[in-house]
Amino acid sequence: MDDEILQDFLVESEELIANLGQQIVDLEASPEDADLLNAVFRCFHTVKGGAGFLNLEPLVNLCHVAEELCNGLRSHKYALSADMVDALSAAVDQLQAQHAALAAGDAPAAADPALLERLRDLAGASAVSSAAPAASQIDLDNVPDDVDLDALLDQMHGVPASTPSPPAAEVVSPPAGESPSSVAPADSVPAAVASKASPPAKAVESSIRVDTVRLDAVMNLIGELVLARNQLKALGRGSQLGEEATRVSARIDRVTTELQGAVMKIRMQAIRKVFSRFPRIVRDLARSLGKQVSLELHGEDTELDKNLVEALADPLIHLVRNAVDHGIESPEQRRAVGKPEQGTVRLSAAQEGDDIVIRIIDDGAGMDPNRLRAKAVERGVLDQDEAARMDSADCFRIIFMAGFSTRDEVSDVSGRGVGMDVVKNRIDQLNGRIHIDSTLGEGSTMELRLPLTLAIMASLMVRAGQRIFSVPLSNVDDVLMFDPERYTRVDGRWVYRLDDDPVPVLLLGPWCGEYEDVPQRAHMVLLRSGSDRFGLVVDSVIGREEVVIKPLGPPLTDLVGFSGATVTGDGRVALILDPVGMLKSLRSGAIKC
């Protein structure tokens, strides 16, 4: 099999299959939408055509029976039912599994025979052969050399949606006296080969595909350029450059900034890629729970770094599933409190400054802080006194504690006592923050704030002894002068009295072995992770700087309290602190105050 053609098929079919899930859910809401039904049919048909061209029989067989079901709907043989939506959705799942196997270099497994039979039964065509039409299967090895394979594959993938043409599966009877060849289907192979003789005018290509590995390499080079730019700026601040060199430095600074922005934009992907999964997820979950839930999507065109798009998928799925499972009430419960039977989950994304803000809002039951407090005590997650001191905002964050669940019984959906803590850890690893707002009886809002990219980070540079450290600016709450008189010991732990609120403190210099005494003149950087704060005492604060994150080598990978390294403007290596990991280590005693 030609690898290049297979890759073309994988790239094009991936997007088609990804859209199918949402289109099928949309079709259930608008069963009379002929355009949408035709789009679903075309997706199955197009994937089948490409798969047939490559002799991928498992994909062909699955698409063929799904296509037959859609064709019956198009010809009004039957009406769309929830069972049909379930079966078509299951077909998409299997198609995705087959696609993933192909992408991994494995042979795709045959579709579940029970699913194929179910699709045939629903289509009322159990006698239909599972074999695809022979015309869609071509032995690649026997294709003549003079055939334009790209044109042939394009044709097998179907005509563009904007091109008015009869549906591929429809057969139009020729008028009397007219030869059958004049009404041959537009997507037939002979037509594709014939197009070689009189090629249609092709639109000028305005885009190209680039391997993500190459993009990552370019981004790394940009990172090196940013580091060099920072060093040049540092030389300029020290007045070590002449007037002409200063002008050149300023120009390099401007060009580097523009180049960095341009490359970052190339790596940007619309969050639609993640959002497109949710209509299907919400629909299936609501159906399994006996609930009625409407999903609203906003800001699907919001772009963020491709690595963030991939990393966000699992946390978002967990949060949306939680909103449907825990947030939205059953139709009976909603009716009893005067709400419409159908609940609403709203998923939105927007760029606000340097942050991407994602909100999951539901109009469900909301969270009861007193119940959360009581459950935390009951499960031993908090003691009575600690729980009593918590305000409502702190109580909402109890759901992120490891081992906490409000459910008494484990279900397939949730209540396993794990999950939300993993979500928070994942968001923390992405240098993001998560905020909860909830009103009992009215619903809840989960707000996620994430940086645009993971490769370059806004940072506060600090000094302790002879070493320089980088602190993620997203975790910095405030910078204060350190008053040794407020540094005291409470319950065996060193804390700093901040407005009568004891805040745990870590002296960075002694911790890193730079010196041992408590500094008399120092600054305290107040860091926040969620609702938790701690003070980091440093000798001095150098200032804000954009740093390029470099991973630590294997011997340092598990170093507590550090997430990476960077190169400073003067060419020195600075370790990047991990405030979230430091706070956890402070609590567990792995780091001593």
Side-chain angles (χ1 to χ4, degrees), residues 460 462-463 478-483 496 505-508 515 519-526 535-542:
L460 186 70
V462 299
R463 185 190 302 275
D478 204 352
V479 178
L480 314 165
M481 286 301 296
F482 177 70
D483 181 359
Y496 189 85
V505 168
L506 180 66
L507 305 179
L508 189 56
Y515 49 80
Q520 296 302 305
R521 291 181 57 80
H523 287 82
M524 187 173 80
V525 181
L526 194 59
L536 183 71
V537 178
V538 302
D539 293 5
S540 61
V541 175
I542 298 172

Side-chain angles (χ1 to χ4, degrees), residues 142-405:
N142 294 327
V143 175
D145 294 339
D146 59 346
V147 172
D148 185 341
L149 290 181
D150 287 341
L152 186 58
L153 185 57
D154 288 345
Q155 197 69 21
M156 292 297 296
H157 284 181
V159 294
S162 58
T163 304
S165 66
E170 289 182 353
V171 177
V172 182
S173 300
E178 193 171 330
S179 69
S181 62
S182 64
V183 291
D187 65 341
S188 65
V189 175
V193 178
S195 68
K196 177 73 176 176
S198 55
K202 284 190 175 180
V204 177
E205 290 186 355
S206 60
S207 61
I208 59 170
R209 293 195 188 98
V210 180
D211 194 318
T212 54
V213 175
R214 293 185 184 178
L215 266 185
D216 289 341
V218 172
M219 195 64 191
N220 284 335
L221 289 174
I222 294 295
E224 297 298 330
L225 193 57
V226 169
L227 290 176
R229 186 268 318 260
N230 291 347
Q231 288 180 279
L232 204 53
K233 286 171 72 176
L235 288 175
R237 283 196 295 268
S239 301
Q240 298 177 39
L241 297 177
E243 186 179 342
E244 184 65 22
T246 301
R247 276 200 297 272
V248 173
S249 171
R251 187 178 176 192
I252 290 176
D253 181 22
R254 191 185 74 252
V255 172
T256 303
T257 302
E258 290 177 0
L259 188 58
Q260 178 187 336
V263 173
M264 279 178 61
K265 283 183 180 177
I266 293 174
R267 287 167 54 94
M268 291 291 184
Q269 284 187 334
I271 201 168
R272 180 190 308 278
K273 183 177 179 182
V274 179
F275 277 17
S276 64
R277 306 178 183 188
F278 289 109
R280 165 81 187 285
I281 290 172
V282 171
R283 183 257 177 199
D284 288 354
L285 184 59
R287 191 167 150 77
S288 69
L289 295 172
K291 297 181 179 181
Q292 296 179 22
V293 184
S294 165
L295 176 68
E296 294 180 4
L297 299 177
H298 300 271
E300 297 160 271
D301 293 329
T302 303
E303 293 185 327
L304 65 166
D305 190 285
K306 73 177 186 64
N307 290 338
L308 269 172
V309 171
E310 293 161 5
L312 268 177
D314 287 343
L316 280 183
I317 287 173
H318 201 101
L319 291 173
V320 171
R321 286 171 65 89
N322 251 37
V324 175
D325 183 25
H326 291 269
I328 302 295
E329 315 94 323
S330 68
E332 297 77 21
Q333 290 171 326
R334 293 180 65 86
R335 207 167 40 239
V337 296
K339 289 182 177 179
E341 291 186 352
Q342 186 178 61
T344 301
V345 173
R346 185 178 186 216
L347 183 58
S348 67
Q351 182 175 346
E352 295 182 6
D354 290 337
D355 291 340
I356 293 293
V357 182
I358 298 173
R359 294 185 179 91
I360 302 111
I361 305 170
D362 69 71
D363 67 346
M367 288 191 277
D368 182 350
N370 292 326
R371 180 165 178 255
L372 290 169
R373 194 181 283 121
K375 275 287 179 186
V377 174
E378 178 187 321
R379 294 184 180 278
V381 177
L382 293 174
D383 62 42
Q384 191 75 46
D385 292 341
E386 194 176 1
R389 287 198 297 268
M390 285 183 156
D391 58 20
S392 295
D394 289 337
C395 289
F396 295 149
R397 303 194 67 81
I398 290 175
I399 65 173
F400 294 125
M401 290 184 171
F404 179 80
S405 173

